[in-house]
Amino acid sequence: MDALKDWSPYTTREYDPLKAGSIDGTDTEPHDKAITRAIEAHYEPPHGLKSKPERTVFVARFGPQITKDDLKKHFDRIVNVKSATVIKDVVTGCSQCYGFVELENMDDARRVVRRLHGSSLKGHTIFVDFEFSRSMQGWKPRRLGGGFGGKKESGQLRFGGKERPFKKPIVPIN
């Protein structure tokens, strides 16, 4: 039972692709190519951003027609928004259906993650969570095989996050 004393249903402050891809956080070998790709990938979080990571939230799963003004208006109902950004494809200029919202302080960030996760924005149920790329040591984004969450259709299920917490490992009693 000593092995489980530090066990948590969520990932810790340091990102480990092998652990994040495990259903119970105990895997020792990669079970898919994405995890291997994430382990081997080199990722540098963006430098020189003016926003503070502790008061910035990640917003995803909104439609391609959503603009930064729509995001700002949706979040302004709850807290004051400093800035909103919708990430666009560098080639096509089309929305990638995710973005970031910077708020006034950390309490506002906690409030919107709690209250706006799962809310509806123009017919889309949005995902709202804290930004991890600059705040979690070793973070790897989904495009490199990392991340949390995921859908069955994509073939990459990730655990250890808000939507898919780890399942407690079954330890046989001797």
PDB file of all heavy atoms in Angstrom, residues 113-131:
ATOM      1  N   VAL A 113     -12.947  28.615 -14.773  1.00  0.00           N
ATOM      2  CA  VAL A 113     -12.743  27.181 -15.021  1.00  0.00           C
ATOM      3  C   VAL A 113     -13.866  26.397 -14.358  1.00  0.00           C
ATOM      4  O   VAL A 113     -14.418  25.463 -14.935  1.00  0.00           O
ATOM      5  CB  VAL A 113     -11.355  26.712 -14.516  1.00  0.00           C
ATOM      6  CG1 VAL A 113     -11.266  25.204 -14.469  1.00  0.00           C
ATOM      7  CG2 VAL A 113     -10.261  27.276 -15.400  1.00  0.00           C
ATOM      8  N   ARG A 114     -14.224  26.793 -13.155  1.00  0.00           N
ATOM      9  CA  ARG A 114     -15.287  26.105 -12.421  1.00  0.00           C
ATOM     10  C   ARG A 114     -16.664  26.353 -13.040  1.00  0.00           C
ATOM     11  O   ARG A 114     -17.462  25.438 -13.182  1.00  0.00           O
ATOM     12  CB  ARG A 114     -15.259  26.566 -10.958  1.00  0.00           C
ATOM     13  CG  ARG A 114     -16.010  25.708 -10.008  1.00  0.00           C
ATOM     14  CD  ARG A 114     -15.815  26.092  -8.545  1.00  0.00           C
ATOM     15  NE  ARG A 114     -16.052  27.506  -8.275  1.00  0.00           N
ATOM     16  CZ  ARG A 114     -15.100  28.387  -7.928  1.00  0.00           C
ATOM     17  NH1 ARG A 114     -13.846  27.993  -7.809  1.00  0.00           N
ATOM     18  NH2 ARG A 114     -15.385  29.645  -7.705  1.00  0.00           N
ATOM     19  N   ARG A 115     -16.948  27.596 -13.451  1.00  0.00           N
ATOM     20  CA  ARG A 115     -18.299  27.946 -13.888  1.00  0.00           C
ATOM     21  C   ARG A 115     -18.551  27.830 -15.386  1.00  0.00           C
ATOM     22  O   ARG A 115     -19.685  27.582 -15.796  1.00  0.00           O
ATOM     23  CB  ARG A 115     -18.623  29.367 -13.431  1.00  0.00           C
ATOM     24  CG  ARG A 115     -18.724  29.402 -11.905  1.00  0.00           C
ATOM     25  CD  ARG A 115     -19.289  30.631 -11.315  1.00  0.00           C
ATOM     26  NE  ARG A 115     -20.526  31.098 -11.869  1.00  0.00           N
ATOM     27  CZ  ARG A 115     -20.933  32.345 -11.768  1.00  0.00           C
ATOM     28  NH1 ARG A 115     -20.201  33.225 -11.130  1.00  0.00           N
ATOM     29  NH2 ARG A 115     -22.064  32.721 -12.289  1.00  0.00           N
ATOM     30  N   LEU A 116     -17.515  28.025 -16.225  1.00  0.00           N
ATOM     31  CA  LEU A 116     -17.762  28.031 -17.670  1.00  0.00           C
ATOM     32  C   LEU A 116     -17.360  26.746 -18.380  1.00  0.00           C
ATOM     33  O   LEU A 116     -17.689  26.574 -19.550  1.00  0.00           O
ATOM     34  CB  LEU A 116     -17.071  29.234 -18.326  1.00  0.00           C
ATOM     35  CG  LEU A 116     -17.659  30.588 -17.954  1.00  0.00           C
ATOM     36  CD1 LEU A 116     -16.926  31.710 -18.662  1.00  0.00           C
ATOM     37  CD2 LEU A 116     -19.144  30.652 -18.278  1.00  0.00           C
ATOM     38  N   HIS A 117     -16.659  25.840 -17.698  1.00  0.00           N
ATOM     39  CA  HIS A 117     -16.360  24.553 -18.330  1.00  0.00           C
ATOM     40  C   HIS A 117     -17.679  23.816 -18.582  1.00  0.00           C
ATOM     41  O   HIS A 117     -18.497  23.661 -17.697  1.00  0.00           O
ATOM     42  CB  HIS A 117     -15.452  23.696 -17.451  1.00  0.00           C
ATOM     43  CG  HIS A 117     -15.243  22.322 -17.994  1.00  0.00           C
ATOM     44  ND1 HIS A 117     -14.504  22.094 -19.123  1.00  0.00           N
ATOM     45  CD2 HIS A 117     -15.704  21.119 -17.584  1.00  0.00           C
ATOM     46  CE1 HIS A 117     -14.510  20.800 -19.390  1.00  0.00           C
ATOM     47  NE2 HIS A 117     -15.231  20.191 -18.461  1.00  0.00           N
ATOM     48  N   GLY A 118     -17.897  23.422 -19.814  1.00  0.00           N
ATOM     49  CA  GLY A 118     -19.141  22.729 -20.172  1.00  0.00           C
ATOM     50  C   GLY A 118     -20.271  23.661 -20.539  1.00  0.00           C
ATOM     51  O   GLY A 118     -21.382  23.213 -20.834  1.00  0.00           O
ATOM     52  N   SER A 119     -20.029  24.969 -20.541  1.00  0.00           N
ATOM     53  CA  SER A 119     -21.077  25.911 -20.921  1.00  0.00           C
ATOM     54  C   SER A 119     -21.229  25.922 -22.441  1.00  0.00           C
ATOM     55  O   SER A 119     -20.389  25.407 -23.174  1.00  0.00           O
ATOM     56  CB  SER A 119     -20.762  27.313 -20.394  1.00  0.00           C
ATOM     57  OG  SER A 119     -19.607  27.833 -21.006  1.00  0.00           O
ATOM     58  N   SER A 120     -22.294  26.533 -22.914  1.00  0.00           N
ATOM     59  CA  SER A 120     -22.581  26.571 -24.344  1.00  0.00           C
ATOM     60  C   SER A 120     -22.218  27.934 -24.921  1.00  0.00           C
ATOM     61  O   SER A 120     -22.606  28.966 -24.392  1.00  0.00           O
ATOM     62  CB  SER A 120     -24.064  26.284 -24.572  1.00  0.00           C
ATOM     63  OG  SER A 120     -24.345  26.298 -25.945  1.00  0.00           O
ATOM     64  N   LEU A 121     -21.455  27.911 -26.018  1.00  0.00           N
ATOM     65  CA  LEU A 121     -21.068  29.129 -26.724  1.00  0.00           C
ATOM     66  C   LEU A 121     -21.499  28.960 -28.179  1.00  0.00           C
ATOM     67  O   LEU A 121     -20.903  28.182 -28.918  1.00  0.00           O
ATOM     68  CB  LEU A 121     -19.559  29.359 -26.620  1.00  0.00           C
ATOM     69  CG  LEU A 121     -18.971  30.529 -27.390  1.00  0.00           C
ATOM     70  CD1 LEU A 121     -19.609  31.845 -26.950  1.00  0.00           C
ATOM     71  CD2 LEU A 121     -17.479  30.598 -27.191  1.00  0.00           C
ATOM     72  N   LYS A 122     -22.586  29.638 -28.540  1.00  0.00           N
ATOM     73  CA  LYS A 122     -23.147  29.567 -29.894  1.00  0.00           C
ATOM     74  C   LYS A 122     -23.362  28.123 -30.362  1.00  0.00           C
ATOM     75  O   LYS A 122     -22.985  27.736 -31.454  1.00  0.00           O
ATOM     76  CB  LYS A 122     -22.278  30.333 -30.878  1.00  0.00           C
ATOM     77  CG  LYS A 122     -22.289  31.828 -30.640  1.00  0.00           C
ATOM     78  CD  LYS A 122     -21.705  32.567 -31.800  1.00  0.00           C
ATOM     79  CE  LYS A 122     -21.863  34.058 -31.589  1.00  0.00           C
ATOM     80  NZ  LYS A 122     -21.404  34.839 -32.709  1.00  0.00           N
ATOM     81  N   GLY A 123     -23.949  27.318 -29.471  1.00  0.00           N
ATOM     82  CA  GLY A 123     -24.295  25.946 -29.823  1.00  0.00           C
ATOM     83  C   GLY A 123     -23.199  24.915 -29.621  1.00  0.00           C
ATOM     84  O   GLY A 123     -23.399  23.738 -29.909  1.00  0.00           O
ATOM     85  N   HIS A 124     -22.046  25.317 -29.104  1.00  0.00           N
ATOM     86  CA  HIS A 124     -20.944  24.381 -28.862  1.00  0.00           C
ATOM     87  C   HIS A 124     -20.663  24.300 -27.375  1.00  0.00           C
ATOM     88  O   HIS A 124     -20.566  25.321 -26.701  1.00  0.00           O
ATOM     89  CB  HIS A 124     -19.672  24.837 -29.585  1.00  0.00           C
ATOM     90  CG  HIS A 124     -19.811  24.861 -31.064  1.00  0.00           C
ATOM     91  ND1 HIS A 124     -19.591  23.759 -31.848  1.00  0.00           N
ATOM     92  CD2 HIS A 124     -20.171  25.854 -31.913  1.00  0.00           C
ATOM     93  CE1 HIS A 124     -19.789  24.075 -33.120  1.00  0.00           C
ATOM     94  NE2 HIS A 124     -20.158  25.348 -33.177  1.00  0.00           N
ATOM     95  N   THR A 125     -20.522  23.083 -26.852  1.00  0.00           N
ATOM     96  CA  THR A 125     -20.156  22.891 -25.454  1.00  0.00           C
ATOM     97  C   THR A 125     -18.655  23.047 -25.351  1.00  0.00           C
ATOM     98  O   THR A 125     -17.900  22.252 -25.920  1.00  0.00           O
ATOM     99  CB  THR A 125     -20.589  21.496 -24.967  1.00  0.00           C
ATOM    100  OG1 THR A 125     -21.998  21.363 -25.168  1.00  0.00           O
ATOM    101  CG2 THR A 125     -20.263  21.293 -23.498  1.00  0.00           C
ATOM    102  N   ILE A 126     -18.213  24.079 -24.640  1.00  0.00           N
ATOM    103  CA  ILE A 126     -16.787  24.396 -24.618  1.00  0.00           C
ATOM    104  C   ILE A 126     -16.060  23.744 -23.448  1.00  0.00           C
ATOM    105  O   ILE A 126     -16.642  23.439 -22.413  1.00  0.00           O
ATOM    106  CB  ILE A 126     -16.540  25.924 -24.614  1.00  0.00           C
ATOM    107  CG1 ILE A 126     -17.149  26.594 -23.376  1.00  0.00           C
ATOM    108  CG2 ILE A 126     -17.039  26.556 -25.891  1.00  0.00           C
ATOM    109  CD1 ILE A 126     -16.753  28.053 -23.207  1.00  0.00           C
ATOM    110  N   PHE A 127     -14.770  23.543 -23.655  1.00  0.00           N
ATOM    111  CA  PHE A 127     -13.865  23.006 -22.647  1.00  0.00           C
ATOM    112  C   PHE A 127     -13.043  24.182 -22.121  1.00  0.00           C
ATOM    113  O   PHE A 127     -12.460  24.931 -22.907  1.00  0.00           O
ATOM    114  CB  PHE A 127     -12.944  21.966 -23.296  1.00  0.00           C
ATOM    115  CG  PHE A 127     -11.886  21.433 -22.378  1.00  0.00           C
ATOM    116  CD1 PHE A 127     -12.148  20.361 -21.549  1.00  0.00           C
ATOM    117  CD2 PHE A 127     -10.627  21.998 -22.348  1.00  0.00           C
ATOM    118  CE1 PHE A 127     -11.169  19.862 -20.701  1.00  0.00           C
ATOM    119  CE2 PHE A 127      -9.639  21.513 -21.508  1.00  0.00           C
ATOM    120  CZ  PHE A 127      -9.916  20.441 -20.687  1.00  0.00           C
ATOM    121  N   VAL A 128     -13.012  24.372 -20.810  1.00  0.00           N
ATOM    122  CA  VAL A 128     -12.240  25.462 -20.202  1.00  0.00           C
ATOM    123  C   VAL A 128     -11.364  24.853 -19.107  1.00  0.00           C
ATOM    124  O   VAL A 128     -11.855  24.142 -18.234  1.00  0.00           O
ATOM    125  CB  VAL A 128     -13.161  26.542 -19.590  1.00  0.00           C
ATOM    126  CG1 VAL A 128     -12.345  27.658 -18.959  1.00  0.00           C
ATOM    127  CG2 VAL A 128     -14.123  27.093 -20.617  1.00  0.00           C
ATOM    128  N   ASP A 129     -10.069  25.103 -19.184  1.00  0.00           N
ATOM    129  CA  ASP A 129      -9.135  24.612 -18.169  1.00  0.00           C
ATOM    130  C   ASP A 129      -7.964  25.584 -18.079  1.00  0.00           C
ATOM    131  O   ASP A 129      -7.824  26.473 -18.913  1.00  0.00           O
ATOM    132  CB  ASP A 129      -8.639  23.212 -18.533  1.00  0.00           C
ATOM    133  CG  ASP A 129      -8.160  22.414 -17.330  1.00  0.00           C
ATOM    134  OD1 ASP A 129      -8.098  22.975 -16.205  1.00  0.00           O
ATOM    135  OD2 ASP A 129      -7.859  21.220 -17.490  1.00  0.00           O
ATOM    136  N   PHE A 130      -7.120  25.393 -17.105  1.00  0.00           N
ATOM    137  CA  PHE A 130      -5.951  26.246 -16.942  1.00  0.00           C
ATOM    138  C   PHE A 130      -4.970  26.004 -18.083  1.00  0.00           C
ATOM    139  O   PHE A 130      -4.932  24.922 -18.652  1.00  0.00           O
ATOM    140  CB  PHE A 130      -5.271  25.980 -15.597  1.00  0.00           C
ATOM    141  CG  PHE A 130      -6.164  26.271 -14.427  1.00  0.00           C
ATOM    142  CD1 PHE A 130      -6.812  25.251 -13.768  1.00  0.00           C
ATOM    143  CD2 PHE A 130      -6.374  27.571 -14.014  1.00  0.00           C
ATOM    144  CE1 PHE A 130      -7.653  25.519 -12.695  1.00  0.00           C
ATOM    145  CE2 PHE A 130      -7.209  27.851 -12.951  1.00  0.00           C
ATOM    146  CZ  PHE A 130      -7.854  26.821 -12.290  1.00  0.00           C
ATOM    147  N   GLU A 131      -4.164  27.008 -18.393  1.00  0.00           N
ATOM    148  CA  GLU A 131      -3.123  26.844 -19.400  1.00  0.00           C
ATOM    149  C   GLU A 131      -1.996  26.012 -18.793  1.00  0.00           C
ATOM    150  O   GLU A 131      -1.536  26.306 -17.700  1.00  0.00           O
ATOM    151  CB  GLU A 131      -2.576  28.207 -19.827  1.00  0.00           C
ATOM    152  CG  GLU A 131      -1.438  28.091 -20.787  1.00  0.00           C
ATOM    153  CD  GLU A 131      -0.649  29.366 -20.963  1.00  0.00           C
ATOM    154  OE1 GLU A 131      -1.092  30.432 -20.541  1.00  0.00           O
ATOM    155  OE2 GLU A 131       0.444  29.265 -21.520  1.00  0.00           O
TER     156      GLU A 131
END
